[in-house]
Amino acid sequence: QLRSAENSSNRQEEAVAEAETQQPELMSRYPRRPQLVVCAVLSFAASGKELPDVCSGVPTALWTSPSHRARGYHVLCLEAPCSDPLSNDGTCSAGSSTVGDKNAVCWGGLRSDCKMLATLPEPKELLDIEEALIAARPLHNKNRYDKLKKIKERKNRWKGNFAFFKVKDVVHPPEPVKSATDMSGFILAFEGGSFVWPGIEVGFRRNITLTHQGTEDLALELLTKSLLPLIIEVSSFVDGSVCTHIINKALPHVAKSAVSHMDHDVGKPDTNWRSSSTYFMPSDDEVLRVLDKRVSALTVTRRVQQEYAQVLRYERGERYAAHHDYFDINMYRQSADIMQLTKKGFFNRLVTVFFYLTDVEEGGHTNFPRAGGGPQPHDFEDCSRGVAIAPQEGRIVIFYSLDPAGHMDEYSLHGGCSVEKGTKWSANKWIWNQPMSFMTED
């Protein structure tokens, strides 16, 4: 037993050392506690204090916020399903206990709201964990959850709606939890059923490495620009050759952009809102297919959730007034296409990945006028408020239209500021919170 405890402590020490190498800025603010093990994390959390530095070998500060509560996002630290002290690999010997009594959750991903889950049952299905969490705290989007449950129960297909992801190390994105047997260690829970990168706090920098079969590893830094809405900037996601490839492929096809008209705007010219040119580009070559895979890996979604890339060209003086990327069905009830696409509002665009394919001499920023919880603007072309992202070749910005509970985020209002000098080429990938028919899964 002593040898097992010593091995566990050594693994914990190695994990913190790795975190110091990969996330130096963050780890400099959180001193090491090398003797900390998972059970200590759980019992410490139960005392009502903030989580300690490490859960199952992963720094908790990478996934919990000091001040921001994210609706529908919860951080779990779960005792391994096997509590046999002689087990190093998680397997259980005959007669060993499989029911943990030290399970903690940080509600809303908030460090100061971590509680013990003393009644968590031995899970046979992921739904058991989901129901235990719901029993402990009310749902943040109960109306949507109950409607989805009712529809799926009618078809005998109800298996819950939460999505669970396991954090295995400090640099790779979390992986989906597919069965109850894998529900131990550092777990992230999303009530809305989709992964959302936690912003933590404005200015937070996260270093990750994307590893996807058939592509080279890609090291990235994710910078939180805003929590409300959630905006994350990645300065170097694609290189110049890929940007040029996309522009050259789109150039013969670009035409004046259109918009989806809300009920009260039907019949009005598209130029009331936007004056750019557009091409929806299918991923029909290897360069674009690799890019799709990287987008999936970065957003922890599936390729089949993506729409075709929308390639955009803005000449001098062209702009796109502030708008949302999600579809509020209350504004589209006369549109049969939108009602069908969203399944009457049950599903929607989750996140936008926006690419800057060129530098711009002056202007052309992407503006979020309500960032930080600001009021609805009177002038939807005013780029002087909120947060603005400057166009830079190879940079992307990730922003979420839905929160972790599946609510539409009204603060995700954004627009393309007028290009004052030069030409702006950009592209975006809209990613839904369910599989769609635009793309196939590789």
Side-chain angles (χ1 to χ4, degrees):
Q1 293 181 13
L2 289 175
R3 186 177 297 111
S4 176
E6 181 181 358
N7 290 340
S8 176
S9 179
N10 289 341
R11 289 193 296 272
Q12 202 87 330
E13 176 81 4
E14 291 168 0
V16 177
E18 180 186 4
E20 289 177 331
T21 300
Q22 300 292 342
Q23 312 281 356
E25 179 183 345
L26 180 139
M27 293 304 294
S28 66
R29 290 184 281 155
Y30 298 91
R32 302 178 85 189
R33 297 183 187 179
Q35 299 304 314
L36 192 65
V37 295
V38 176
C39 290
V41 171
L42 295 170
S43 60
F44 199 95
S47 71
K49 301 178 182 179
E50 293 183 355
L51 278 178
D53 299 343
V54 178
C55 173
S56 194
V58 178
T60 57
L62 293 175
W63 300 99
T64 56
S65 174
S67 58
H68 178 71
R69 185 187 300 276
R71 294 187 301 178
Y73 166 64
H74 312 299
V75 178
L76 287 75
C77 195
L78 301 182
E79 187 177 56
C82 176
S83 59
D84 182 356
L86 298 180
S87 173
N88 290 324
D89 60 3
T91 59
C92 296
S93 59
S96 61
S97 171
T98 59
V99 183
D101 61 356
K102 295 184 177 70
N103 300 294
V105 58
C106 292
W107 301 104
L110 190 63
R111 288 176 207 157
S112 59
D113 192 9
C114 300
K115 307 294 181 185
M116 188 107 169
L117 285 176
T119 58
L120 196 67
E122 178 184 359
K124 294 182 174 60
E125 298 178 358
L126 291 177
L127 184 58
D128 296 333
I129 303 290
E130 181 171 321
E131 290 176 344
L133 292 172
I134 294 171
R137 284 282 176 101
L139 289 161
H140 283 83
N141 198 347
K142 188 174 187 300
N143 184 53
R144 177 178 182 268
Y145 185 94
D146 288 346
K147 287 181 178 179
L148 284 171
K149 181 179 180 180
K150 185 175 181 180
I151 291 171
K152 291 186 178 181
E153 280 184 334
R154 267 194 233 126
K155 301 177 181 179
N156 199 29
R157 291 170 50 194
W158 176 246
K159 295 182 179 180
N161 190 60
F162 282 27
F164 297 99
F165 295 82
K166 175 174 280 194
V167 182
K168 293 186 174 181
D169 58 41
V170 297
V171 293
H172 293 99
E175 298 178 7
V177 175
K178 297 181 179 179
S179 70
T181 57
D182 202 29
M183 279 293 286
S184 64
F186 207 157
I187 303 294
L188 312 178
F190 298 89
E191 291 182 15
S194 301
F195 179 85
V196 175
W197 277 109
I200 308 301
E201 56 187 334
V202 174
F204 180 81
R205 296 176 185 271
R206 182 190 303 276
N207 296 310
I208 66 169
T209 298
L210 300 185
T211 303
H212 198 286
Q213 186 176 4
T215 67
E216 295 182 2
D217 287 0
L218 182 63
L220 301 170
E221 181 183 79
L222 280 56
L223 171 62
T224 300
K225 302 291 288 187
S226 168
L227 294 172
L228 195 67
L230 181 53
I231 307 170
I232 296 172
E233 178 185 293
V234 184
S235 286
S236 300
F237 187 71
V238 290
D239 61 31
S241 64
V242 175
C243 294
T244 300
H245 177 83
I246 294 172
I247 293 171
N248 289 340
K249 188 158 185 167
L251 191 55
H253 306 284
V254 290
K256 280 299 178 182
S257 302
V259 298
S260 296
H261 291 88
M262 296 181 183
D263 294 342
H264 61 270
D265 291 325
V266 172
K268 297 178 182 178
D270 296 332
T271 51
N272 283 6
W273 297 275
R274 68 189 305 187
S275 51
S276 60
S277 298
T278 300
Y279 172 54
F280 282 91
M281 178 181 290
S283 299
D284 57 3
D285 65 39
E286 189 59 23
V287 172
L288 299 179
R289 283 190 286 269
V290 167
L291 192 58
D292 290 347
K293 292 176 183 177
R294 284 186 170 170
V295 168
S296 293
L298 175 62
T299 56
V300 197
T301 55
R302 297 166 56 192
R303 185 173 183 261
V304 74
Q305 294 172 239
Q306 299 177 20
E307 295 187 38
Y308 290 147
Q310 179 186 216
V311 183
L312 301 157
R313 182 184 65 194
Y314 291 82
E315 302 285 6
R316 185 177 181 275
E318 293 185 334
R319 87 287 179 253
Y320 191 177
H323 60 283
H324 294 106
D325 282 353
Y326 62 71
F327 297 103
D328 183 348
I329 60 162
N330 293 316
M331 301 293 181
Y332 291 95
R333 294 198 178 276
Q334 303 306 312
S335 172
D337 289 342
I338 299 300
M339 296 298 283
Q340 171 63 26
L341 195 64
T342 63
K343 300 294 186 287
K344 297 183 178 180
F346 281 117
F347 303 104
N348 223 313
R349 287 171 174 165
L350 167 71
V351 59
T352 299
V353 179
F354 194 89
F355 299 77
Y356 299 98
L357 304 177
T358 58
D359 296 333
V360 179
E361 292 182 65
E362 187 178 345
H365 292 59
T366 303
N367 180 247
F368 298 83
R370 302 195 66 184
Q376 184 82 345
H378 295 292
D379 181 357
F380 278 59
E381 296 185 25
D382 179 7
C383 285
S384 65
R385 300 175 181 272
V387 168
I389 310 295
Q392 176 183 302
E393 184 187 71
R395 171 179 288 166
I396 65 169
V397 60
I398 305 164
F399 57 94
Y400 285 87
S401 292
L402 306 182
D403 69 15
H407 293 105
M408 294 178 292
D409 187 353
E410 62 182 357
Y411 296 103
S412 65
L413 188 75
H414 63 283
C417 303
S418 176
V419 173
E420 302 301 329
K421 188 177 182 181
T423 299
K424 172 185 173 182
W425 281 91
S426 57
N428 63 262
K429 273 283 191 180
W430 286 311
I431 302 172
W432 286 67
N433 61 348
Q434 74 151 0
M436 300 298 287
S437 59
F438 302 99
M439 312 277 281
T440 57
E441 196 78 89
D442 280 346

